[in-house]
Structures are given as C-alpha cells and as structure tokens.
Amino acid sequence: MDLSEGPLAGTREDALEDGPEDGALSRGGVLEAFNDSAETRALLGRLQVEFKNRTFWESALQRFRVIMDKYQEQPHLLDPHLEWMMTLLLEIVQDETSPADLVHLAFKFLYIITKVRGYKTVLRLFPHEVADVQPVVNMFTNQNPKDHESYLVVSDKARDAAAVLVSKFVTRPDVKQKKMADFLDWSLCTLACSSFKTIEGVIAMDGMLQALAQIFKHGKREDCVPYAATVLRCLDHCRLSDSNHTLLRKLGVKLVQRLGLAFLKPRMAKWRYQRGCRSLATNLQVCTQSQREPQTHAETSDSEEGYNVPEEVESVTEQLLVGLKDKDTVVRWSAAKGIGRVAGRLPQELADDVVGSVLDCFSFQETDNAWHGGCLALAELGRRGLLLPLRLADGCLPRGLLFVLWVPGCQSWKPRVSFYTEEYGKGLRVVAVILKALTYEEKRGACSVGANVRDAACYVCWAFARAYEPQELKPFVAKISSALVIATVFDRNVNCRRAASAAFQENVGRQGTFPHGIDILTTADYFAVGNRANCFLVISMFIAGFPEYTQPMIDHLLTMKINHWDGVIRELSVKALHNLVQRAPEYSAAQVFPRLLLMTRSPDLHTRHGSVLACAEVAHSLCRLAMQEDRPIADYLDETVVQGLKQIHQQLYDRQLYRGLGGELMRQAVCVLIENLSLSKMPFRGDTVIDGWQWLINDTLRNLHLISSHSRQQIKEAAVSALAALCSEYYTEEPGEVDSIGQEGLIEQYLAELQSPEEMTRCGFSLALGALPGFLLRGRLQRVLAGLSSVTRISPKDVSFAESRRDALKAIARVCQTVGARAEGSPNQVVCRENASQVYCTLLDCLSDYTTDSRGDVGAWVREAAMTSLMDLTLLLGRDQPELIEAPICQRVMCCLAQQASEKIDHFRAHAAHVFMTLLYSAVPNVPHREELEKLFPRSEVVSVNWTAPSQAFPCITQLLGLPTYRYHVLLGLTVSVGGLTESTVRYSTQSLFAHMKGIQNDPKALESFSGTLLQVFEDNLLNYRVSVPLLKMLDQMLANGCFDIFTTEEDHPFCVKLLALCKAEISKSKDVQKLRSSIAVFCGMAQFPGSVRRKVLLQLLLLLCHPFPVIRKTTASQVYEMVLTYSDVVGTHVLEQVMAVLSGTAWDAELPLVRGQRNHLCDLLGVPRPQLVPKDWTWRDGR
C-alpha cells in the first residue's frame, strides 16, 4: 500500500494469499520515466498527414492506447510531457480547416490522455482564451442540437464531463444570478422523480448527484447556502442509503459532506493540533526538536463562544457517520474524508463529540465495515490535527470541562451543561482501539474478514507518525511498535504485512523513537515481507532478538495465531513459537506452557489443534535448549508440565475427539506431539502412555482410507514420523537392544497389514516398516523385504493400487539405508550378495509400471519412486560395497533410466535425467560406456540443462542412440514421445530423431543396426497399445522424411518385409480406428519399397478400402490418392488417370456392395488379385 495515497480500496477481506505468495513480488512502480516520448510524438505528428488512411487511424489509436495504459498506475510520469501532447492535439482542434473526422480522432486521443492522467490535471492545460468560446459552443451544437441538460442523463462518460462543465458554468458570477436557481430546481425535480430501482433512474440520479456535488464544491459558500437546506431535504427523501448501487451511495455521501461545508463557515480551527510547518527550511530554523512546543490549543477560544452551528449540521454528521459503516470501501472512504472536513470547521467541543461518535464504531458488536470506516476516519482526523493528544491517552477532554454535547438521534444540537467524567470516556482511547484494529479478524464460515480493517489501521499509524510530535506518542511507542512489528511478520495477508512495514518505516523516520527501528527495517522491508514463510520463520526470529519485542510476539502467537482458522497459519505459528521460545525460555516455561495445556481442553477444534501442536514444538525447543546448555530438562519443564503433556492423548481419547473430521486434525497433532516428545527424551519409558501412543499410530495407519484425501498424506507422514521416533526412544532397554516386552509381534502385525484390501492401509504400513529403526529390522530383514516386494507386484485385484506400490518402493529404499550393506553379511541383517539382486529386480520391474485409470498415468508415481529408490540404493552400495553392483544390474539400471529420460512426461523425464547423471558422476562401478557418456554429457554443461523443456532435453538424450547398449531403451522411450499428443514434445523429439537419422543416412551398417533395433522394439511391443500406436505414427513420419531411402535400392529388403509382417499382425482383427488410420499411413509410406513388398502393401490398402468402418475407407482412399501422386513408380502412367479418377470420384462411405465393385476395378488397374470374400460358417446350434 502506498500510504501517501491512502489505504487500499476494495481490499478483498478474505482473499487467499495472492497467488503463489512466496516469491511473488508486486510489479507496481517499475517505471521511472515516460520512455515512449519519441514514439508518441511521432504518432501524434502523423495524424494530420495520414488520418485518411483508415488502417493507420485504427492502428495509431490502438498503439496510443497501449502506450498510455502502461502508465495507469504511475500517471504522474506523464506530467512533463502533457503540455506538448496537448498542444499537438489542440492545434488540430483549433484549426478551422481540419476535417471533422480528424477533429474527432484528436478528441479520441485527448480522451485517452484524460482517462489515464485524470481530468483535473488535464483541465489546467486546455486553452482559456475568449476566442475559443464560440468554437467550443459550435462543437456542442453540432454534436447535439438539444440543450445542455441532456448530457447529465446519458450513460457514458459525457455525463461526468457535463457535471464538471455545468458546475463551472452556473457558478460564474455572470451566470449564477440567472441560471443557478433554475438549474438547481430542475436537478432536484429530476432527482425527486427518479428511482434507483430502474436503470434509467440510476443514470439520471448519477448525473444529478455529480452535478450538485460539483456545484457545491466549486461555488462560493454565500451563493450555495440559500439552497443547501433544500438540497439536503431532497437528498433525505431519496433514501440513497437503501440503494444497492455503490456509486449512488458514494455520490450521496460526497454531496452531503459538501452541504455540511456549506452550512459551516470556512475557518481554520485554532484549537487543532499543529506539528511544525510544512516548509522544511522553516522547520530547520527551529533550534532543536526537544525545544519545540507543539502548537495546540486545548482551551476554548474566545472567538468560538458565539459560534452558531446550524441544525442541519447534525443531519449531515449523522449521515456521514452512517456512511462510515457502508458495505463498500469507496463509500466509507468518502465518508471518512467528509468527517475530517466537517470536523475541521466545528468548535472544539463539538468536534470532540464527533470523535467520540467515530470511536463508537470500534465496538465488537459492530461489523468489520464499521471498524474499517472508523479507522479511515481516525486517520483523516489525525492528519488534519483534529485528534488532540488527549484523545490518544484517555479519549476525553480535561476533567470538569464545560461543553455543549450533541446527542445522536436528536433533531437539533442541544446545549447541555455537563462535566466530563471518567466513565464517559472509558474504553474510548484511540491508541487502544487502533491496537485492536491491527489484529482484527472475524471468522465467517470457512474464511474470515478483517484484512481491510488491519490495512486501514496501518494507515492510521502512518498518519499519526506524520501528525504528532515524538513526545506526544512517546507513551505509546512500545505498544504501537510491537503491534506494527507483529502485523509486519505475522499477518496472514501480504498487503497488510506490507502496509504495516510501511507504517513502521514512517514512524522510524518521523518519530525516531521506535526501538531498533533501522535494524528491523533493513530486514523487514517491503519485498522481504512478501514471503509469508520467511516472515514467520526467519524475520520473526531476527526481531525477537531485541528484547522489547520478544514477549509481545510470543503472546500474539499464543492468543491470536495458534487458534487461527487457517491451518497453514496455525502450523507456521507453532514453528515460529518453536524458534521464539528460545529467546525467552523462562517466560515460556512459566507463562506459555500453563496456558497451552489449558487450551488443549478447549471445545474449539482449531484452538485444540493449534495448542497440541504448540505443546509439541515448545517442549521440543526447550528440551533442545536444555541439552545445548547442559542443563536438566526439569529447569524448564517441571513435573506438572510433564504430567500435563502425558495426559493429552488420554484426555482426547476419553472425550472421543479422534473421531470425525475434527479427529483428522487431532490425530495429526497428537502424532506430531508423540514425535517431539520422543525426540525430547521425555521420561516415559515403560509408562502406559506408550501403549496409548502406539495404538493411535496403528489405528491411524489402519484407517487412512477413512480420512479425507486432502489431509491424508499429511496425517500419514505424521504417523510414520511419530512411529520412527517412538520406536527409537522407547523400544530399547539398552542402546541397540530391543525391548522384548509387547514388541515381538510388531513387525508381524505390520507385515500382515500389507495384505489389506484397502490401498491406503497398505501405504501406511509400508511406510511404517520403512521407518522402523535398525535394531527392530535386523533378524527379520528377509521377511520385511519380501512383504514389501509383494506389495509392488501387480495382480488383477490390485492393479489400480499405484500409491501402495509407490510407498512400498520408498520403504524398500529406506529399509536398505537403515540396515546398511555388507557383502558377506547375513541376508536377515544387511543388504548382501544373497539379497541385493532381489532388491534390484523388484525396483527395476516397477519401472515398467504404466498403469492408467481415471486419474491418468498413475504408474508414473511408481516409476518415479522406483527411480529414486534405485538411486538411493545404488549410491549406498557404491559408497560402502561397490562389489555388490554387478555389471548386468548396472547396465539394466542405466538403460531403464535412459528410457525414462526420453519419454513424454516432462516432470518424470527430468527426474530420470537427474538420477542418470547422478549415477554417472558418482562412484558407481560398471556403468556401460562411461567414457563416452562423460564426453556426451560434460558435467559443466549438464548442470545448466533444463530437462523439463523438450527443446533442451531431447537433443541431449538422442545422442545415446549412437551407443548400442542404450539404443533399444532410448528408442523405446522416444517412440511414445514422437508419437504422442503434446505439440512441443512431438516437435522437438521428432527433430532430434531426424537429426540422428541424418547423421547415419549414408552409413548402411549403422542404419541396418538402427532399423533392426526399431523392428525389435515393434516386435516386443506388438499389440501393446501404449507403444504400438505411437510407433506407427513415428514410422509414418520416418518413412515420409526419407529416413529409409537407402533400402529402396534393393527389392524386398528384410527390413521392409518384416515391417510389413509386423504391421499386418498389429492391425489384424483390430477395430481401433486410431490404430487403423496410423497403419494406413505406414502402408502408404511402404509403397516406395520395390518388389513383392509393394504388391502386398497395395493389397493391404485395397483390403482397407472395403473395411466395415466408412471412416477407414475414406481415409484409405484419401491417403492412397496422395501416395499415387508422391511415388510416381507405384502406378503405371497408362492407368494413372483412371486410378486417380476412381479414388477421387467414388463415395467410399457408401454401402459396401457398391464400394466393393470400385475396389475390384482398382485391383484390376493396379495388377493386384481381387480379394475373395470368405463366407462365414453359419452353423446351427443343433448341428445343421
């Protein structure tokens, strides 16, 4: 928020953090000057020359609009250039010889400038000579022969301009006597006859309200006062506050405040608070700031004793106060400015009463709209010096002061003799309500409101910094600085954090009394606070290093954030609390923990969830601090606290709070608590609470399928982490020895759960087995690996259980890393010669998992986990026992990774390439072609390759086609990329493949080897739809691109013969339209090969011309027609025209008997035997 321009209007109260908030910086304010000056000058200079060119007219207008729109947020950059732009355009308008179309075009350019910079600035640059009056009047006459009144009731921008014009016109000294009364009478009649319930009425009322507001703004007070009361009564009868149109309510408030200013004499309130002078030079002449006394006048001036306030001012003030509570920001903002303007003309006592009414907006019975409007009004009052320092402290005038009191709701200002008492001003302290507004938030359904209130409260703090002397705000520095720091680092909304940072900066610069202000500003600047996680976890830790802010920050997290409705905020808050308690451990132990333990019993779900998480984090943080300081834990956590932590699970269990949707949050929170208390080494060994914790973990993992999908992963990870910490701490009697009591059946129970019919149960217990510590796995390793391997295998009943296979693969890798490797060890203890190959086979088999379901390629999750597990296992063995990595296994690993790195999904391709390069440049033995690979992929260059970008990935990976070991797998991966659907993947993979083919085009031996590999891929994946259809598409492109032209010199080349046989086998009895259409293109491409292959290809095409599917017949005829034109030697010249005539002139989607005759005619023309119709064997059920 740019606080020099006021608070953000239209803040969305509960907007989520603007889209991805982390790292997203505002683009506003990036321009430094009007950089398009030369282009704009040239554009405007060509208008008179080329305006007749309609194309130039439209393009110039569009280009000028684009240029100006760039400066919508920084229109002040145009100011140095407005004069010459206006001059160029006005010269066209003022030239009597200019055609009407050119003048119209010039005014369009003027409108664009006015729209961007605003009419107030542009208006000053228009000519004001007398000679220009008549031409302007003529223009009005030519545009519309009707009188000027019609422009106020039109629906376009002419209405706004007409309002400004009529206000300037009727307030002229020579016009007001004759026209002002008549115009006001017409305006009020139109206003009274219009209704905001119709479109026409809204338009008319808009124009009238704008005109009236402008007249009372520009007119002299003595001219407007006679009509003000009448206008106010008419406005009251319109009841604009009941309208749903924001603009009408805003204009109503604007007009009301102008009427109020008309009722009150223009005067500078002598009682207002003044801080120095606006002149910097004058301020510098004052000796020192400490010697200056603020120029305030708290006492009533003699000149105010006889000041008469009209009764209508009460109605004006009341309407403005109501406007502060309007549902739209623009109305509240206008009302706040009106409050400031009107209060500046009231006597001190009455103005203070208005301040009191504004402070009534800050009741918790009021809505967020009232709070927002109240903040805006306080800011306006403060920056105008109308909020006296006495109001900051106790919200009152000096005790015993006699004043005239205005009672809201009365019809007149009633003088009352009253003495101020403490009870009257109780709870109305300005600083107190602003501090509340800085943290204001109300939950509404699944979200909250209050962001705009906090933003406006920051604006108040910014305004106060500029309005008051440092000694006035000195008593409140500690509270205001702490509140602004808290809003800067802990507010949920980025705009509020940035507004608080700006307000803090203004106070540091203007007041100079904020503790450690410069240091904090250096860290918590505008850009740094844009990242929410950075604010909570990094900046807060830095600021908490200053003792003035530590305790307020901890208290704020405890009271406002750990019970926040947003789960992300709760989790960030407890992490921040984990960091901050180390800055004040004694205070946290004495004050924070008792409150947290009490909050764990709260009936509110969010409070209960956040407090349990906070207990976990604070306990762990204090225990870590005690260990670092070599102090006993009891110094920070006494017996009462330890017992309270131990009872949390049982209390929740007894109250049945682990059930339902709320139970999901509590399970996750208590799992985090178990993990942190275990890591903190709490003295619970042998306690019954351990059995309760174990039950919760097991029950959570067993019932994961009952948990909502959006929180399932988080709960699963929390339970697994809790299990790992629990077992490591409490299931050993001596270091490394298993506690046999009650734990003999733990692994057997988990292995049995791996066969559960629920996929999520398999996922949970697979990861649980992977998280077990080594002392529980040793002696049972073979059974654990076998059980996890069984989960990775696909069976008909669990083919869609991709997530369980993924988690089982992760568990296998984690188990191997936990137990370690020893070549000659026992297979029940470590990874050794006897079980290493079995583990590798399990992982490698999962790289061929291409399962798909309604979610898409779910097998990709399994393949990604398999690649990661292969990398972890291989790096482990390469580091500890390289002899376990045999050459065949290493070759298969690298080849499979190369295949995955050449496939079509960007994310998984990049992951495969990362694993491939990691293994290549590590201490892994037996990597095939290591030297060639290091030359193809230099480490310095590979680092900069973006493997997710097809344009960078495929040129690199296709280099492996030159290495025989990798060719098969790379070609298999490229097949699905070249024959895929994604345009960028297809384009770059095809280009890379053709580049490789071009390199071996003249090398028969290399081409023979490549073609043999290609046929092998086809043969191995025959009838495999995932590969065969893309392969047919790839063959079509290769044949059309002439990749196999060298084979056309030999009749019946083995490649062509085998390719034809494979294509026939692939489409045999197929009803798949896409496959058949792809095979037609391949058959047409194979017609270029001479010999008997050509005749067989033509026969296949002629058979397809009578396919049962009409679309196949039409596709075949079309592509055969193109084939005949492309390959001139396929059809003899003497029958070419007849063949083309039959192909193009036959309706191939007609009935089969009609089509069959034309097909047979083609067979005769091409010299191909007519296909014989095979009769179906109609056998009756009784044998006849």
Side-chain angles (χ1 to χ4, degrees), residues 12 59 92 127 136 173 245 299 391 550 552-553 706 741 753 806 1037 1130:
R12 186 180 173 190
S59 63
I92 298 175
V136 172
H245 297 274
E299 69 280 354
R391 271 288 185 184
T550 307
M553 293 173 71
L706 301 177
I741 302 176
E753 294 288 355
R806 175 199 63 194
Q1037 296 188 55
V1130 173

Side-chain angles (χ1 to χ4, degrees), residues 960-978:
L960 294 177
L961 291 172
L963 302 177
T965 303
Y966 297 97
R967 182 181 299 131
Y968 177 90
H969 291 84
V970 173
L971 192 55
L972 178 57
L974 276 176
T975 297
V976 296
S977 298
V978 174

